[in-house]
Amino acid sequence: MDDNFFLNISTDTSTSSINSSKSNSKVTGGKWKDRRKAQLSARGIKKTPKAKPSVESPSNNPENELQPQKTKAKHDYPVDERDQKKRSAPIADHENRGPAKQARFVEGRGVAGKNNTYVSSLFTSNAEITKRDYDNELELKEASNAPLADSTTFDGLGLNEILTKQLTEHMKLSNPTKIQRSVLPRVLTRERDLFVQAQTGSGKTLAFVLPIFQKLMECKDLNRTSGIFALILAPTRELATQIYSVMETLNRCCHRIVPGIVIGGEKKKSEKARLRKGVNVLVATPGRLADHIENTERLDLSNIRYVVLDEGDKLMELGFEETITKILKDIETTSRITATTKLYPNLPYKRINILCSATIRSNVKKLGEISLKDAETVNVNSVHDVEDMELIENIAAPDQLLQQVCVVPPKLRLVSLASILKDVTKDSSQGSRTIVFLSCSDSVDFHFQIFAKGGKKFNKITNEQEDPDDNSTVITSPLLSDTSVVYKLHGSLSQQIRTSTLSAFSKAPADQHTIMFCTDVASRGLDLPYISTVIEYDPPFATEDHLHRVGRTARAGKSGRSVLFLLPTEENYLDKISQYHPNGVQHKSYEELLKIGFGNKWDMDATTWHLNVERWLLEDTGAHDLAARAFTSHIRAYATHLSSERDVFNVKSLHLGHLAKSFGLRETPKKLGHNSNGDGKKKKENPKDVMFRRARQAAKAQSDEFNFM
Ligand SMILES: Nc1ncnc2c1ncn2[C@@H]1O[C@H](COP(=O)(O)OP(=O)(O)OP(=O)(O)O)[C@@H](O)[C@H]1O
């Protein structure tokens, strides 16, 4: 048994009375046990042998178990007498449990070490939190990714009247952003490859889409049957869909220029039909495009004048290097640009490649070598030759972002999350949009269920009341507030569901509180409107992804807040992300966090809330399995943190027992591990096989997640 895992099984009252009563009688001589017996009988107490775990055993009584626990462990927060009393007060709503329910309730439980289940109290035995120097309190500055407030206008940058009108009148964008000011005129007037680097939410999409659209508009005879002139590659289907919808908006002011999209998850047949009808700008995910190049005869890439690679580092991270190299080679070898120059004199005489990324990793440089020739690097402050890429530093998070960090002991993670969500959803006069990032699909499913299906009472849904919409990814959350709706998004959902979930989330009424539980599939490039809070409940697998996640808020000059949860063993992660937060971060203690949602009686109310989750899992086997799966998948995902970050995210430093508690589970991690393997008899695996199995799992998880094919 793990030493740190505190046993908290409620004590038999008769035993406690023994401890509390004092006697003057003294018994001497004989064996130790006989002396003890004689001493007890002198006090009129009959010693009963230790009961084996059974339903009848008082120590197994769920009523006792649901009492806040009396423990010897030290509290890691100030405890006054009043709080102590509150913690020992009985928790309502469990007295009515019938015998059958009680039996189920204790099913699988036993004393510690027998059936491997424990009930530990939330506020005991938690890891100490080292006091880091948090002096660098956050200093919020003016928005760094906002539209320019000076006299710079879109037409001043060379945009034609029709497009300018579309932007200002229909899209309500009056001034360009800094990166648009830098990129727009370059693509309109020069024929040089570009590496575009700018903050999240700074308007990079319009920066490359607008000039390409205008150049095509300038070709009078160009229509949908003329061929594909621009190709935009994005790493995720969601991002590709988003870029396509920007193109569609522009198409409203010039119907001749037709955008098209090919991404996985859709019927290839309908994509082929679309390609056959003709498109001029093709947005695609690399895997699907490569598939069409192989199998779709009508796909003609010979006219391509512009290739844009959006989110370059993610494209590389997902292993598209080879696919992109092949696509570019195919474009190169089939190109008829020279032959058609006279037909389209306004288009560039050579192919222009544009690579975009907010973060620079060595893989982006590699992609630059593959895709760019004699390129310029453009960021908001400077323009220089791409050879100087080495000089470019990673970009920081937007200056107006309020970055909060909270170090939370593992057992208190779930209640801390509940607290913050309660807080963001409490205002009934106006709505809010929140994104919660988790490590894996199973964990998303579980947390979605906690805040949705469980409802106010975490009732088990019986067969008669079975929700017909059981697979829904959008559901109301009375647990938080009457106007709260929760969503889930991850790579294991079908593309149709992913698309409709995002669309519903984006169009939610302004007075609704919407919360989306998701994996990193939503971290890249997604432009969801009015996100006010991003919660990184699990830190990302690569530090750069932190920047992309927090970048879902504080976009285009708007304010935003991001909360990063860290375990006490992960505090040094702050050193890794400090490069993205030159203005500092704001530290919140977990006590503060718990107070904002649970109020002054936070310890008592958080305990009750958590016990309700635990009880729900004990009563509902389906929910319990979901929790167990989420826990094991989470640990597995944790082990896939980049090796360069293992000093912070080391799976060996995790307190698995406490972490299981934050999934509402009472079994020991060992038992959960065995269950997740299907049977109790686990064969010892060859370490080499373990390594290969984990590598396969990690690779599969990545590809499942992004589902790019
Ligand atoms: N000139 C502008 N004025 C106001 N809003 C703008 C302007 N240009 C773009 N936006 C808006 O800014 C938001 C962010 O734009 P976009 O998605 O292109 O950012 P990005 O730089 O690509 O971010 P990320 O790196 O996260 O992908 C969008 O909602 C877009 O409509």
Side-chain angles (χ1 to χ4, degrees):
M1 191 192 72
D2 191 328
D3 284 338
N4 293 329
F5 195 82
F6 197 83
L7 298 187
N8 202 356
I9 296 168
S10 59
T11 50
D12 183 335
T13 45
S14 63
T15 323
S16 52
S17 72
I18 296 170
N19 296 337
S20 59
S21 62
K22 284 192 174 158
S23 165
N24 294 326
S25 56
K26 209 173 178 185
V27 184
T28 53
K31 281 187 182 166
W32 175 89
K33 272 188 188 164
D34 298 335
R35 282 205 309 273
R36 179 76 181 141
K37 231 186 222 170
Q39 218 167 26
L40 292 176
S41 75
R43 281 190 250 148
I45 298 164
K46 199 170 173 240
K47 173 103 170 52
T48 47
K50 240 185 194 172
K52 281 206 163 169
S54 75
V55 175
E56 291 78 33
S57 162
S59 65
N60 266 339
N61 183 346
E63 308 295 314
N64 288 345
E65 196 178 282
L66 280 175
Q67 315 278 335
Q69 308 298 311
K70 290 175 195 161
T71 68
K72 294 176 285 185
K74 76 176 164 44
H75 292 272
D76 49 7
Y77 64 101
V79 184
D80 65 28
E81 227 175 59
R82 193 168 42 93
D83 285 341
Q84 200 51 289
K85 270 186 202 154
K86 276 181 217 147
R87 266 192 295 283
S88 37
I91 290 166
D93 199 34
H94 56 85
E95 283 86 7
N96 302 332
R97 200 183 300 284
K101 268 194 176 174
Q102 287 197 12
R104 272 198 81 176
F105 188 69
V106 294
E107 200 180 357
R109 282 191 58 252
V111 281
K114 285 278 160 92
N115 287 341
N116 297 325
T117 64
Y118 299 99
V119 187
S120 70
S121 146
L122 278 185
F123 292 100
T124 56
S125 204
N126 280 314
E128 288 264 329
I129 294 171
T130 31
K131 290 277 168 276
R132 266 179 72 103
D133 181 11
Y134 287 111
D135 281 349
N136 61 338
E137 275 297 291
L138 182 69
E139 203 189 306
L140 285 186
K141 295 200 174 151
E142 271 189 20
S144 51
N145 55 8
L148 293 159
D150 58 17
S151 55
T152 318
T153 55
F154 284 109
D155 56 346
L157 297 177
L159 219 58
N160 67 36
E161 208 179 313
I162 300 171
L163 278 175
T164 304
K165 198 171 161 200
Q166 177 71 10
L167 290 170
T168 50
E169 290 183 13
H170 299 285
M171 296 167 74
K172 308 286 176 219
L173 309 176
S174 42
N175 297 82
T177 60
K178 284 183 198 162
I179 195 66
Q180 288 163 359
R181 179 180 60 187
S182 302
V183 173
L184 249 149
R186 281 198 158 65
V187 182
L188 282 175
T189 58
R190 300 168 61 143
E191 298 204 348
R192 238 184 125 172
D193 287 1
L194 293 182
F195 172 58
V196 179
Q197 194 210 16
Q199 273 183 338
T200 53
S202 59
K204 289 191 284 295
T205 314
L206 278 175
F208 61 75
V209 158
L210 284 170
I212 292 176
F213 203 87
Q214 169 151 327
K215 291 298 270 183
L216 299 185
M217 281 171 82
E218 284 169 7
C219 303
K220 294 275 176 290
D221 297 327
L222 196 148
N223 61 41
R224 71 181 307 161
T225 58
S226 310
I228 303 170
F229 290 86
L231 171 67
I232 301 169
L233 291 179
T236 66
R237 296 171 186 170
E238 279 72 17
L239 185 53
T241 310
Q242 190 177 288
I243 297 169
Y244 172 70
S245 73
V246 174
M247 277 287 177
E248 270 190 316
T249 316
L250 299 185
N251 163 269
R252 281 184 210 137
C253 70
C254 179
H255 300 291
R256 274 189 307 121
I257 315 297
V258 179
I261 181 166
V262 293
I263 49 173
E266 265 205 90
K267 279 204 181 115
K268 234 190 277 172
K269 218 170 145 190
S270 54
E271 287 184 349
K272 281 186 179 195
R274 226 176 292 150
L275 290 173
R276 214 173 306 127
K277 272 173 92 179
V279 301
N280 307 119
V281 181
L282 185 62
V283 188
T285 47
R288 187 60 151 215
L289 179 64
D291 189 340
H292 279 291
I293 291 177
E294 289 270 303
N295 304 309
T296 306
E297 260 176 51
R298 294 292 295 268
L299 181 65
D300 175 9
L301 301 178
S302 64
N303 278 311
I304 291 201
R305 304 294 206 276
Y306 299 96
V307 171
V308 180
L309 304 173
D310 200 11
E311 302 287 347
D313 59 340
K314 195 74 195 175
L315 283 168
M316 290 295 272
E317 193 193 305
L318 290 176
F320 286 126
E321 180 181 339
E322 206 181 310
T323 314
I324 292 172
T325 311
K326 256 177 88 182
I327 292 171
L328 293 178
K329 200 166 167 213
D330 204 78
I331 294 173
E332 188 74 52
T333 48
T334 58
S335 177
R336 291 191 303 122
I337 296 185
T338 343
T340 54
T341 305
K342 281 194 186 136
L343 270 176
Y344 308 107
N346 291 324
L347 294 184
Y349 291 179
K350 69 177 204 57
R351 193 178 82 227
I352 307 291
N353 304 294
I354 302 172
L355 170 61
C356 300
S357 190
T359 41
I360 307 290
R361 296 187 207 175
S362 51
N363 61 17
V364 180
K365 290 170 192 164
K366 181 96 189 284
L367 187 58
E369 284 160 24
I370 294 167
S371 59
L372 306 178
K373 273 187 208 137
D374 181 33
E376 274 182 319
T377 295
V378 183
N379 62 30
V380 291
N381 301 317
S382 61
V383 175
H384 38 88
D385 287 345
V386 88
E387 288 74 49
D388 301 339
M389 231 169 166
E390 298 297 330
L391 304 176
I392 304 167
E393 286 181 11
N394 267 321
I395 275 184
D399 281 349
Q400 76 274 26
L401 175 80
L402 169 60
Q403 176 66 57
Q404 298 179 325
V405 175
C406 188
V407 183
V408 184
K411 276 201 279 185
L412 297 176
R413 276 167 53 79
L414 186 57
V415 280
S416 302
L417 176 65
S419 179
I420 196 168
L421 292 181
K422 274 169 180 280
D423 182 53
V424 290
T425 56
K426 71 179 175 215
D427 188 350
S428 55
S429 63
Q430 57 177 18
S432 64
R433 304 262 187 289
T434 304
I435 300 187
V436 184
F437 283 104
L438 294 120
S439 64
C440 56
S441 308
D442 287 336
S443 190
V444 168
D445 284 339
F446 172 60
H447 288 89
F448 172 76
Q449 283 297 326
I450 289 185
F451 292 97
K453 184 79 79 192
K456 246 176 200 142
K457 292 178 182 165
F458 294 107
N459 281 342
K460 173 174 166 49
I461 293 178
T462 60
N463 286 343
E464 303 91 72
Q465 349 162 249
E466 201 65 69
D467 188 345
D469 207 11
D470 203 28
N471 290 325
S472 175
T473 53
V474 182
I475 208 155
T476 52
S477 181
L479 186 67
L480 293 168
S481 75
D482 289 339
T483 52
S484 298
V485 178
V486 289
Y487 296 71
K488 66 171 176 179
L489 188 78
H490 56 69
S492 308
L493 298 165
S494 76
Q495 189 54 43
Q496 217 180 359
I497 289 182
R498 279 160 66 168
T499 309
S500 61
T501 304
L502 274 177
S503 159
F505 185 81
S506 304
K507 290 179 193 152
D511 59 350
Q512 208 173 62
H513 293 291
T514 53
I515 297 156
M516 183 157 74
F517 294 94
C518 60
T519 57
D520 271 327
V521 77
S523 70
R524 284 296 175 142
L526 282 195
D527 185 52
L528 300 167
Y530 313 115
I531 303 286
S532 48
T533 308
V534 167
I535 301 172
E536 290 188 276
Y537 188 56
D538 299 323
F541 295 108
T543 311
E544 290 85 354
D545 288 332
H546 162 73
L547 192 76
H548 291 280
R549 284 169 160 201
V550 302
R552 296 318 99 207
T553 185
R555 295 175 74 74
K558 302 207 176 62
S559 60
R561 171 176 71 138
S562 165
V563 188
L564 171 66
F565 276 59
L566 291 177
L567 290 170
T569 47
E570 298 168 348
E571 266 190 294
N572 288 344
Y573 188 55
L574 289 174
D575 297 333
K576 297 198 187 290
I577 58 164
S578 60
Q579 57 179 318
Y580 300 128
H581 303 286
N583 307 328
V585 298
Q586 190 181 71
H587 179 243
K588 286 260 168 223
S589 71
Y590 70 82
E591 289 94 337
E592 278 177 276
L593 208 63
L594 285 169
K595 204 168 180 176
I596 56 165
F598 286 106
N600 287 336
K601 296 188 292 170
W602 53 271
D603 51 349
M604 175 72 179
D605 290 347
T607 303
T608 310
W609 191 94
H610 204 279
L611 283 168
N612 280 335
V613 176
E614 291 175 41
R615 192 181 54 192
W616 170 52
L617 299 188
L618 287 166
E619 289 178 344
D620 185 336
T621 40
H624 176 273
D625 291 351
L626 193 63
R629 222 175 21 249
F631 171 71
T632 43
S633 299
H634 173 75
I635 303 300
R636 205 177 288 148
Y638 198 91
T640 64
H641 270 285
L642 287 185
S643 54
S644 56
E645 295 178 14
R646 294 261 165 81
D647 53 329
V648 174
F649 302 109
N650 187 341
V651 77
K652 286 187 189 150
S653 64
L654 286 181
H655 192 308
L656 298 179
H658 284 190
L659 210 53
K661 174 91 175 171
S662 71
F663 284 80
L665 293 163
R666 292 178 172 190
E667 288 90 340
T668 57
K670 196 172 162 192
K671 182 159 190 229
L672 288 165
H674 276 227
N675 285 351
S676 76
N677 282 316
D679 57 34
K681 289 177 239 134
K682 194 175 163 238
K683 266 207 250 151
K684 189 146 175 45
E685 211 176 348
N686 175 333
K688 212 163 147 194
D689 292 345
V690 174
M691 198 178 75
F692 286 135
R693 182 169 53 77
R694 294 228 171 106
R696 275 198 305 276
Q697 272 168 351
K700 184 170 181 314
Q702 269 277 22
S703 58
D704 282 357
E705 193 45 59
F706 288 92
N707 236 343
F708 40 78
M709 285 298 283

